[in-house]
Amino acid sequence: MSTTLPPAPRESVSAGVIVAPVVPNQSSLRPLGLDEVRITGGFWGTRQRVNAEHTLAHIHDRLESEGWLANFDLASTGTLPAGRRGREFSDSEVYKYLEALAWEIGRSGSAELEERLRSTVGRVARAQAADGYLNTRFGRDGQPPRWSDLEWGHELYCLGHLFQAAVARERTRPGADDGLLTVATAAADLVCEVFGADGIPAFCGHPEIETALVELARVTGRERYRAQAALFVSRRGHGTLQDIEWGRRYFQDDVPVREADALGGHAVRANYLAAGAVDVAVDTADDELLSALRRQWAHTRGRRTYITGGQGSRHQDEAFGEDWELPPDRAYSETCAGIASVMFSWRLLLNDGDAAYADLIERTLYNVIATSPAPDGRSFFYANTLHQRVPGVPADADGTSPRASSSLRAPWFDVSCCPPNVARTLASLDAYLATADAEGIQIHQYAPAQIRTRLDDGRTVSVDVKTEYPARGTIRVIVNSDAVSPWTLSLRVPHWAEGARIMVQEAGQPEPVIERAAEVGRVDVRRAFRAGDVISLELPLAPRVVHPDPRIDAVRGCVAIERGPEVLALESVDLPGGENVGQMALIGSVTPRERDGRVWVRIGRRREHRSMWPYEPIEQRGFGAVATVPLVAYHDWGHRAPSTMRVWIPVD
């Protein structure tokens, strides 16, 4: 991968465009775009390269082979509904793919991807109706009428992803002549006419369009889009949609957003709605709404989030459970819910600047989003269990999985929301590393990177980040230019990093001028930096034993092992004879040790219960074989062979 920044997107500097997925009208922190931050290697650089070279092509091939792209061709030739393939929301996967292409083109300037984007946009544009309506499942002879199934139809949801693709394209290539923004604004204008204050007093069963409308308003300056997003947010929670077997909570239509204490219902829907509501609250200075969303974030993180950052413990409706309902073997933890959680947290981070939001983003990135794709970028986890009881079944490399539940990564699903969602996230990940304000820059996520930006007063800041994180805990920030006046470099100190230290070494000097403890949260260094100055943050990465809150019944009597931002797991391929992890328990002092680049623990195999009836008085069964075995980073489980796996390990 190149170690230099790509050319700035056309007109981005002169026009003041921030090349990022989220650009609030006002916020405490200003996001830095793809022309200001570039990941240059390491953990995330590798994944971005695989995403660009393999995943995007894989997604394109499957959209073609599954017929989801061809649906637009059928629409443009007037031959629908005959031949249409895919679920009612399959259009959205094409739009997420377009968004991923746009961000990747913004990073790399790839001519091949540019050609592919333009070709795909052309096929989509030809399917659009004269009044702006665009959907391949509704609205034609032989199809259900437009807007006739707001509970399940996903029409507005699909359009939301179209709008986000157009936003990505306009920010990475302002004024591009491919027509995508024209398609999106025509559809958005229709939405405002149909669902405005005097229109249909309802909303989509799957939130997503809310945040898309706000970003489209930010790009185009059309206030009506933001007003429509606010209207959608305010309408939800009053029992408008038809009731279903899982209740209106599934749609977040049971409690108004302002009154909810926690996220509930379908986990992806809940996080998308919360992200859009933050956008509305920030841009309209609605402090009451923003306060409610902060409350929901804190409650959800503290009582409804897995140790991995995953969210959603109910398979039936892909939903949050009640407080403390976090069974590891029933963790649904959909990859898309993790991505939506990052979207929610990032928006609050931009507004509030609280490092706790970045902590949850980091946890989710490493232990949900990084877990989904295989190393070759061509198969994925849809759901992310924390305890695999039986070895998974290898997926057919040419097939399509009808099920989302974790077994082994599959190349495609009947519901394939996760692969293009992962692709658009990785392609835009540079924009989630750092921010700026009037005083300096803030680095929230650690990766080898180059940061080039201007502060509010026009001063240029240029630094390089050198690190092998998360393998090693040293983060070095090297200053590239002299400053005429002081500015502040802020570095996040994760909540688990007690004992972190900060050191500042001036160019050419053998001894540091600052060396001190770095408190958990954020450490600030303010100086008139000179070229060659080095600021080093040392994060302790010794493996640590984590105990669950005793109210999480499902893991009482168990512990988990973490190292830095990574959750570790016990996998059967590392056990003697490949035994099932369900037979194992940690023994002794439960002190993990590092050796040969891995973390090791001492385990014992429990002796079998003598009775066929599993409920008997406690007996001292003891252990059979005892061994010291390595753990695997959770994001790497399932790569080597079908296996059993668990994150929470019993202690005896």
Side-chain angles (χ1 to χ4, degrees):
M1 179 172 287
S2 171
T3 57
T4 60
L5 283 167
R10 181 161 56 91
E11 298 181 4
S12 65
V13 175
S14 62
V17 174
I18 297 177
V19 190
V22 186
V23 184
N25 280 356
Q26 53 188 352
S27 61
S28 298
L29 305 178
R30 171 172 60 86
L32 299 184
L34 304 190
D35 57 337
E36 298 172 287
V37 180
R38 175 66 181 265
I39 296 172
T40 58
F43 184 97
W44 293 113
T46 297
R47 282 153 179 79
Q48 284 190 320
R49 178 182 55 77
V50 171
N51 186 58
E53 296 177 1
H54 302 295
T55 300
L56 291 175
H58 172 78
I59 292 171
H60 177 268
D61 291 347
R62 295 311 294 254
L63 290 174
E64 289 283 22
S65 65
E66 296 291 325
W68 300 357
L69 260 172
N71 290 337
F72 292 91
D73 303 331
L74 297 174
S76 65
T77 56
T79 56
L80 286 177
R84 187 188 185 280
R85 296 171 62 187
R87 293 287 299 272
E88 62 274 17
F89 39 74
S90 64
D91 291 1
S92 70
E93 315 313 345
V94 174
Y95 302 148
K96 277 183 278 187
Y97 166 66
L98 280 174
E99 183 185 349
L101 286 178
W103 292 125
E104 186 55 40
I105 291 166
R107 293 182 66 254
S108 66
S110 168
E112 178 184 353
L113 296 184
E114 176 74 18
E115 181 179 352
R116 198 179 301 166
L117 180 143
R118 287 178 175 270
S119 173
T120 304
V121 169
R123 296 168 74 177
V124 169
R126 287 189 288 273
Q128 188 169 36
D131 66 351
Y133 184 78
L134 182 56
N135 191 280
T136 68
R137 177 68 175 80
F138 293 86
R140 297 168 185 82
D141 290 343
Q143 292 184 323
R146 297 179 181 184
W147 324 120
S148 60
D149 186 6
L150 291 174
E151 287 79 12
W152 301 105
H154 290 74
E155 289 164 277
L156 293 171
Y157 167 84
C158 290
L159 289 178
H161 281 299
L162 170 69
F163 301 164
Q164 287 182 313
V167 167
R169 182 60 166 170
E170 182 63 12
R171 286 186 176 148
T172 52
R173 292 293 184 269
D177 60 354
D178 53 62
L180 182 55
L181 185 61
T182 300
V183 170
T185 53
D189 288 339
L190 179 67
V191 168
C192 293
E193 292 168 13
V194 173
F195 291 92
D198 298 323
I200 300 174
F203 46 85
C204 187
H206 198 311
E208 208 284 331
I209 195 171
E210 294 82 359
T211 192
L213 279 167
V214 175
E215 289 300 334
L216 193 61
R218 291 167 176 170
V219 160
T220 64
R222 299 182 186 181
E223 178 57 35
R224 68 185 309 202
Y225 301 157
R226 190 174 1 255
Q228 185 62 53
L231 197 56
F232 281 145
V233 170
S234 67
R235 284 174 177 167
R236 198 172 290 270
H238 301 283
T240 300
L241 298 179
Q242 294 295 315
D243 205 358
I244 61 170
E245 61 180 310
W246 304 316
R248 290 191 177 93
R249 188 181 194 185
Y250 176 82
F251 305 121
Q252 295 76 46
D253 194 26
D254 57 329
V255 179
V257 176
R258 294 175 189 276
E259 299 175 16
D261 291 322
L263 300 188
H266 188 278
V268 182
R269 286 168 163 85
N271 275 289
Y272 277 160
L273 176 61
V278 173
D279 286 331
V280 168
V282 167
D283 279 13
T284 61
D286 189 335
D287 292 338
E288 178 192 36
L289 178 57
L290 194 58
S291 178
L293 293 160
R294 291 190 189 103
R295 178 178 71 242
Q296 293 163 30
W297 183 91
H299 188 123
T300 302
R301 180 194 60 160
R303 300 187 177 200
R304 299 185 178 186
T305 299
Y306 284 98
I307 189 173
T308 56
Q311 296 181 344
S313 58
R314 295 183 177 177
H315 285 231
Q316 171 183 266
D317 48 351
E318 301 182 315
F320 286 99
E322 300 301 331
D323 290 354
W324 318 115
E325 185 184 335
L326 296 165
D329 53 347
R330 294 298 294 165
Y332 196 69
S333 185
E334 184 180 339
T335 299
C336 285
I339 291 169
S341 169
V342 168
M343 292 169 60
F344 181 22
S345 296
W346 178 248
R347 285 160 169 79
L348 289 174
L349 174 63
L350 290 177
N351 189 77
D352 296 355
D354 189 337
Y357 301 124
D359 279 350
L360 183 57
I361 289 172
E362 178 181 69
R363 182 174 293 275
T364 309
L365 284 173
Y366 279 101
N367 302 295
V368 177
I369 295 169
T371 306
S372 177
D376 68 358
R378 295 187 178 95
S379 60
F380 310 84
F381 278 139
Y382 183 109
N384 295 277
T385 186
L386 274 68
H387 185 175
Q388 183 76 21
R389 290 184 176 273
V390 297
V393 178
D396 179 358
D398 300 317
T400 297
S401 174
R403 291 175 297 277
S405 299
S406 294
S407 177
L408 288 174
R409 295 168 180 85
W412 204 249
F413 305 88
D414 283 343
V415 179
S416 266
C417 50
C418 294
N421 220 355
V422 168
R424 69 173 181 147
T425 301
L426 290 176
S428 60
L429 189 62
D430 308 67
Y432 291 89
L433 261 62
T435 56
D437 62 13
E439 300 301 321
I441 63 171
Q442 305 81 36
I443 302 178
H444 306 285
Q445 305 299 332
Y446 298 122
Q450 295 179 340
I451 302 174
R452 312 283 188 268
T453 192
R454 290 188 180 94
L455 304 184
D456 294 352
D457 60 7
R459 286 178 294 167
T460 298
V461 171
S462 173
V463 301
D464 292 337
V465 181
K466 305 292 186 183
T467 184
E468 297 178 56
Y469 189 79
R472 292 176 174 80
T474 301
I475 295 98
R476 299 172 69 241
V477 181
I478 303 167
V479 179
N480 294 320
S481 57
D482 295 341
V484 296
S485 59
W487 59 272
T488 302
L489 173 68
S490 300
L491 302 173
R492 178 177 60 92
V493 181
H495 70 94
W496 45 261
E498 295 283 353
R501 297 192 65 79
I502 188 78
M503 182 176 70
V504 178
Q505 196 154 3
E506 292 182 339
Q509 298 302 313
E511 299 297 327
V513 294
I514 296 175
E515 186 171 9
R516 59 180 173 83
E519 298 296 325
V520 165
R522 191 174 91 170
V523 58
D524 297 333
V525 179
R526 184 170 181 81
R527 295 173 63 81
F529 292 105
R530 312 296 292 179
D533 288 354
V534 178
I535 303 91
S536 298
L537 178 65
E538 293 286 345
L539 300 178
L541 294 184
R544 57 194 184 277
V545 178
V546 178
H547 296 264
D549 188 297
R551 290 170 287 187
I552 307 176
D553 299 298
V555 292
R556 192 178 293 126
C558 299
V559 298
I561 311 297
E562 295 180 321
R563 181 185 181 276
E566 297 173 312
V567 173
L568 307 183
L570 181 66
E571 193 173 8
S572 58
V573 293
D574 293 313
L575 300 181
E579 295 201 63
N580 194 301
V581 297
Q583 300 170 307
M584 303 297 166
L586 294 167
I587 61 174
S589 63
V590 194
T591 302
R593 306 288 187 188
E594 281 196 85
R595 188 177 76 245
D596 303 325
R598 301 193 71 178
V599 175
W600 299 71
V601 294
R602 190 165 175 79
I603 62 164
R605 184 185 185 280
R606 286 171 162 158
R607 292 196 177 100
E608 300 273 341
H609 197 289
R610 289 193 295 269
S611 172
M612 289 298 291
W613 177 245
Y615 309 105
E616 299 284 0
I618 294 175
E619 59 180 76
Q620 295 299 115
R621 292 192 293 274
F623 292 95
V626 174
T628 299
V629 300
L631 301 177
V632 64
Y634 175 74
H635 56 69
D636 286 337
W637 92 269
H639 288 328
R640 294 171 289 177
S643 63
T644 60
M645 176 276 302
R646 69 187 306 164
V647 167
W648 290 104
I649 310 172
V651 178
D652 277 312

